[in-house]
Amino acid sequence: MFPTSTALAAALATMLVGTASAECTREGLLAAASSYVAAITAGSTANLKLAATNFTYMENNKAADIKKGVLSQPLKIDLNRSTADTVACASYTMIISSSGSKPYVLATQIRHPADGDTSTISVIDTIAATTGSLFFNPKKTLGYIQKEDWSTLAEGNRPSRELLKKVGDAYLDMWTDAKAADSIPWGTQCERVEGSQYTNPCGGQLPRGGSAKNNGMRRYVIDETVGSVDVLCSFDSLGSLPDSHEIRVEGGKVRYVHTVTV
């Protein structure tokens, strides 16, 4: 299942564009995400329906062998939560495993074929933070995130797909664009959890440019029903670090920010 350079390039093109030709069902996307959570728990890919051709596994922004990555060992899961992007035919899953000899915080995007077949997985794309990663303390991270409310938003209170992508991009642009931070609609009770570092309100002490390198390789999962955008990227402004930024918007204002950085 190790991709060729051609297959990898095609998969990255799909991830970076972030669109699919056919809409997928929310139920199908979340079912596939649940199968991934079960695979992490078991430490086995046996029950994952991976595409027979051109399947790509990415771990920390590099093509990898799925049988030798984080899925090769069972993990005790303390928290998992998934969102679904029916337009891009993709899902995002956060997993926290705070116990065991090698704890993890995982940020994973799963993508499916453009024909809308959610029973088949085309791409598993994971940022896998463990001991030594930026601000890594999974027990503290778990304590903060367990208290958050990620319930479905009422239809009239859901941010648009365009707004969510704009907020996700503006957040990552703060290191290169001096005006980006002030373009983000910060909520007064916004909470930011960077690894295990907690900030409230999260609209203070923000970068305002200074780096010449834009944060690139952006892959999006946008879920309007819970007001979320997750962006996996290469955090090039600080040194090409594998990174996930997840943001929730409530009432037009940013409520939560999560970062997972290796």
Side-chain angles (χ1 to χ4, degrees):
M1 292 293 183
F2 194 88
T4 65
S5 57
T6 302
L8 176 58
L12 282 175
T14 299
M15 288 188 278
L16 291 170
V17 171
T19 58
S21 61
E23 284 206 3
C24 300
T25 67
R26 182 174 185 82
E27 294 75 17
L29 292 168
L30 293 177
S34 293
S35 73
Y36 170 75
V37 173
I40 288 288
T41 302
S44 171
T45 64
N47 292 323
L48 288 177
K49 188 180 176 183
L50 307 178
T53 59
N54 294 333
F55 169 73
T56 300
Y57 178 68
M58 300 277 290
E59 189 166 303
N60 294 336
N61 289 349
K62 295 180 180 179
D65 184 344
I66 193 171
K67 295 181 180 179
K68 297 180 180 178
V70 69
L71 273 157
S72 66
Q73 55 190 318
L75 297 180
K76 180 182 180 298
I77 296 177
D78 298 305
L79 178 147
N80 75 90
R81 177 178 48 74
S82 296
T83 57
D85 187 333
T86 58
V87 176
C89 206
S91 64
Y92 168 72
T93 299
M94 168 182 271
I95 290 176
I96 299 177
S97 174
S98 64
S99 57
S101 59
K102 194 169 185 180
Y104 279 98
V105 176
L106 305 178
T108 300
Q109 293 182 359
I110 295 174
R111 298 184 185 273
H112 302 272
D115 63 3
D117 176 16
T118 56
S119 68
T120 300
I121 296 173
S122 299
V123 178
I124 297 178
D125 187 6
T126 296
I127 305 300
T130 189
T131 303
S133 295
L134 185 67
F135 305 135
F136 186 77
N137 184 324
K139 290 188 183 299
K140 285 183 68 176
T141 303
L142 178 65
Y144 294 133
I145 293 179
Q146 279 179 327
K147 298 174 184 177
E148 297 178 351
D149 178 8
W150 279 79
S151 56
T152 301
L153 299 174
E155 285 197 34
N157 195 35
R158 295 176 185 175
S160 68
R161 185 176 185 85
E162 292 72 24
L163 174 63
L164 289 167
K165 185 175 184 298
K166 182 179 178 181
V167 169
D169 280 332
Y171 198 103
L172 291 174
D173 290 342
M174 289 191 297
W175 284 261
T176 52
D177 182 349
K179 298 179 180 180
D182 294 328
S183 74
I184 297 171
W186 302 107
T188 56
Q189 294 300 316
C190 179
E191 299 175 70
R192 187 170 79 230
V193 181
E194 298 171 292
S196 63
Q197 189 172 50
Y198 177 84
T199 303
N200 183 351
C202 59
Q205 297 181 332
L206 298 169
R208 285 178 164 77
S211 175
K213 283 193 173 184
N214 195 40
N215 296 315
M217 200 178 168
R218 300 182 189 186
R219 296 92 79 193
Y220 305 86
V221 169
I222 299 172
D223 186 342
E224 300 97 316
T225 70
V226 293
S228 73
V229 55
D230 175 72
V231 190
L232 301 189
C233 71
S234 175
F235 211 90
D236 298 315
S237 296
L238 299 179
S240 300
L241 306 176
D243 177 86
S244 168
H245 271 72
E246 182 187 30
I247 299 171
R248 172 163 159 121
V249 174
E250 297 178 4
K253 303 289 186 180
V254 175
R255 180 66 177 91
Y256 301 123
V257 178
H258 301 150
T259 74
V260 180
T261 308
V262 177

